[in-house]
């Protein structure tokens, strides 16, 4: 899982190096909208599914929880597709030629659908202790994206914005199809056995997370849209390029989501403190090493982005610090969900 994230980060770096600053600024808007839409299409359902599945030995309840999450997710995905496709259309028509909007607008809702559905299936597999299934599927999807981008950018000499967008779509579709195949028996069986619309345990854990997800949507979209509107294409591209450096250090997050989360959930209340302390201590140590490297060698980090972004080195320590703070905060967030007590999360966002 971590390897697939690193491959995805490599695709991002290659895209930075081949697209012009103007084109990359538009691709940054595309990526920011997908990230925000992925949050909207989840709203805590995927995270909430893991502890529900990990704690029950009753197969019927496990299947009902899985089916309920599928129904909730479907509704949220449809809403996300409509909202963010319209938003992207408005931004692209205003900022660039209609021809480029034609490339991206149809791709966006499809990526959101496949990516959001795959996230749910990953949560279902992790919750029942089948993380190896995720590990088998993710690298293949990531490698497809890398090969596609390299073939068009380097092999065919095409430097157009539709190349990374189409690669994103293809890898998301493959991942969804593969994970769906791996979950097919459980999902279909759950639909035939129970007709509950909402599993009460999932709702109980997910609802308090809603303000947090709204916060993450805002913090993801507001900087990009503000830069597009007030600072111009260069600042937008530089901001998003520095964010790709953060992806290089985020390879540790799948281990948190699909290994540490079930590990803490299965421990029960008696071992929650010990297990969560082990996980949190490791994340803090990892983050400290990353930030320290950014302070010592900022130009080395900036050189990864290419010559067009060499002047961003002064912001590298800040970018890496922000990424590591995000990793630690999401770790705490995940540990709270793992214990099943999310009631006070909604009060912590303001």
């Amino acid at each position: 899982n971590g390897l697939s994230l690193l491959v995805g980060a490599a695709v991002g770096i290659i895209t930075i190096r081949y697209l012009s600053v103007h084109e990359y600024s538009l691709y940054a808007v595309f990526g920011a909208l997908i990230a925000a839409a992925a949050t909207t299409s989840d709203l805590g359902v995927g995270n909430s599914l893991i502890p529900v599945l990990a704690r029950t030995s009753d197969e019927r309840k496990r299947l009902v929880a899985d089916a309920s999450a599928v129904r909730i997710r479907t509704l949220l995905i449809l809403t996300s597709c409509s909202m963010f496709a319209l938003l992207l259309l408005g931004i692209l028509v205003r900022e660039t030629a209609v021809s480029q909007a034609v490339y991206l607008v149809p791709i966006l809702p499809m990526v959101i659908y496949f990516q959001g559905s795959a996230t749910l299936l990953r949560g279902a597999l992790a919750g029942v202790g089948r993380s190896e299934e995720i590990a088998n599927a993710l690298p293949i999807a990531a490698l497809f994206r890398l090969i596609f981008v390299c073939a068009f950018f380097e092999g065919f000499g095409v430097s157009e914005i539709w190349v990374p967008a189409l690669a994103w779509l293809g890898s998301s579709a493959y991942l969804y199809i593969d994970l769906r195949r791996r979950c097919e028996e459980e999902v279909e069986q759950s639909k035939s056995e129970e007709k509950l619309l909402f599993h009460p345990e999932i709702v109980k854990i997910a609802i308090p997370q809603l303000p947090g997800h709204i916060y993450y949507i805002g913090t993801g979209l507001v900087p990009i849209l503000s830069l597009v509107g007030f600072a111009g294409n260069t600042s937008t591209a530089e901001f998003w390029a520095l964010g790709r450096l953060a992806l290089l250090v985020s390879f540790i997050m799948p281990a948190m989501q699909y290994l540490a989360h079930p590990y803490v959930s299965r421990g029960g209340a008696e071992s929650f403190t010990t297990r969560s302390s082990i996980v949190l201590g490791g994340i803090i140590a990892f983050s400290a090493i990353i930030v320290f490297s950014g302070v010592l060698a900022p130009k080395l980090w900036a050189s990864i982005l290419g010559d067009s972004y060499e002047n961003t080195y002064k912001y590298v320590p800040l970018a890496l610090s922000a990424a590591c703070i995000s990793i630690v905060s999401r770790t705490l967030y995940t540990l709270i969900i793992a214990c099943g007590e999310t009631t006070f999360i909604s009060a912590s966002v303001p």
Side-chain angles (χ1 to χ4, degrees):
N1 295 333
L3 175 62
S4 67
L5 267 184
L6 288 176
V7 172
V11 172
I13 298 300
I14 293 170
T15 302
I16 290 171
R17 288 176 168 270
Y18 274 90
L19 293 183
S20 68
V21 171
H22 173 70
E23 286 185 317
Y24 190 71
S25 68
L26 296 173
Y27 185 69
V29 175
F30 178 77
L33 289 173
I34 286 180
T39 301
T40 305
S41 64
D42 180 38
L43 295 182
V45 174
N47 277 337
S48 303
L49 182 62
I50 293 177
V52 172
L53 297 183
R55 290 177 178 181
T56 180
S57 58
D58 187 326
E59 187 67 18
R60 186 186 66 83
K61 290 183 179 179
R62 178 176 295 170
L63 296 174
V64 172
D66 186 76
S68 300
V70 170
R71 294 183 181 92
I72 297 170
R73 171 78 70 162
T74 301
L75 176 62
L76 296 174
I77 286 174
L78 292 175
T79 303
S80 299
C81 289
S82 302
M83 176 170 41
F84 288 104
L86 290 175
L87 181 57
L88 179 63
L89 177 61
I91 292 173
L92 291 182
V93 169
R94 175 173 174 261
E95 292 295 325
T96 188
V98 177
S99 61
Q100 288 181 309
V102 170
Y103 290 142
L104 297 185
V105 171
I107 294 175
L108 177 67
M110 291 188 286
V111 172
I112 294 170
Y113 176 80
F114 289 128
Q115 189 167 280
S117 300
T119 300
L120 170 67
L121 295 173
R122 281 183 292 183
L125 288 171
V128 297
R130 294 169 58 189
S131 296
E132 71 281 356
E133 302 273 8
I134 306 171
N136 292 334
L138 284 177
I140 299 175
L143 286 173
F144 166 82
R145 191 173 165 192
L146 177 63
I147 293 171
F148 187 93
V149 168
C150 289
F152 277 89
F153 279 160
E154 184 67 30
F156 300 113
V158 178
S159 297
E160 299 288 343
I161 195 170
W162 61 264
V163 173
L166 199 59
W168 204 334
L169 173 60
S171 63
S172 300
Y174 169 82
L175 183 61
Y176 165 71
I177 293 170
D178 192 11
L179 292 177
R180 176 75 186 190
R181 177 183 59 81
R182 298 172 190 272
C183 290
E184 192 69 46
E185 182 179 347
E186 294 181 8
V187 172
E188 290 303 319
Q189 193 175 354
S190 68
K191 289 180 180 178
S192 63
E193 289 186 359
E194 286 289 341
K195 300 299 181 183
L196 290 180
L197 181 59
F198 301 108
H199 190 282
E201 291 184 60
I202 290 180
V203 174
K204 179 183 176 182
I205 298 174
I207 286 180
Q209 301 177 53
L210 293 179
H213 285 286
I214 294 172
Y215 166 77
Y216 284 123
I217 292 171
T219 55
L221 279 179
V222 169
I224 284 291
L225 298 183
S226 298
L227 287 170
V228 169
F230 301 105
N233 294 327
T234 300
S235 296
T236 303
E238 289 177 345
F239 176 82
W240 195 252
L242 286 168
R244 300 318 88 194
L245 291 181
L247 285 182
L248 291 175
V249 303
S250 65
F251 66 89
I252 198 170
M253 291 311 296
M256 168 57 56
Q257 183 73 10
Y258 303 115
L259 296 179
H261 191 165
Y263 165 74
V264 174
S265 296
R266 292 193 185 101
E270 63 278 0
S271 61
F272 173 77
T273 301
T274 301
R275 293 189 178 209
S276 59
S277 297
I278 293 173
V279 171
L280 184 60
I283 291 294
I284 291 176
F286 169 81
S287 299
I289 293 172
I290 293 298
V291 172
F292 190 61
S293 71
V295 173
L296 288 181
K299 290 186 177 180
L300 180 62
W301 279 94
S303 66
I304 297 174
L305 303 176
D307 296 338
S308 298
Y309 301 92
E310 61 182 0
N311 292 328
T312 62
Y313 74 91
K314 63 186 79 171
Y315 303 112
V316 165
L318 181 61
L320 293 178
S321 297
C324 289
I325 290 173
S326 177
I327 289 173
V328 172
S329 65
R330 287 181 179 273
T331 299
L332 291 169
Y333 195 79
T334 300
L335 292 176
I336 292 171
I337 296 170
C339 75
E341 296 295 333
T342 59
T343 306
F344 69 91
I345 287 181
S346 58
S348 66
V349 174

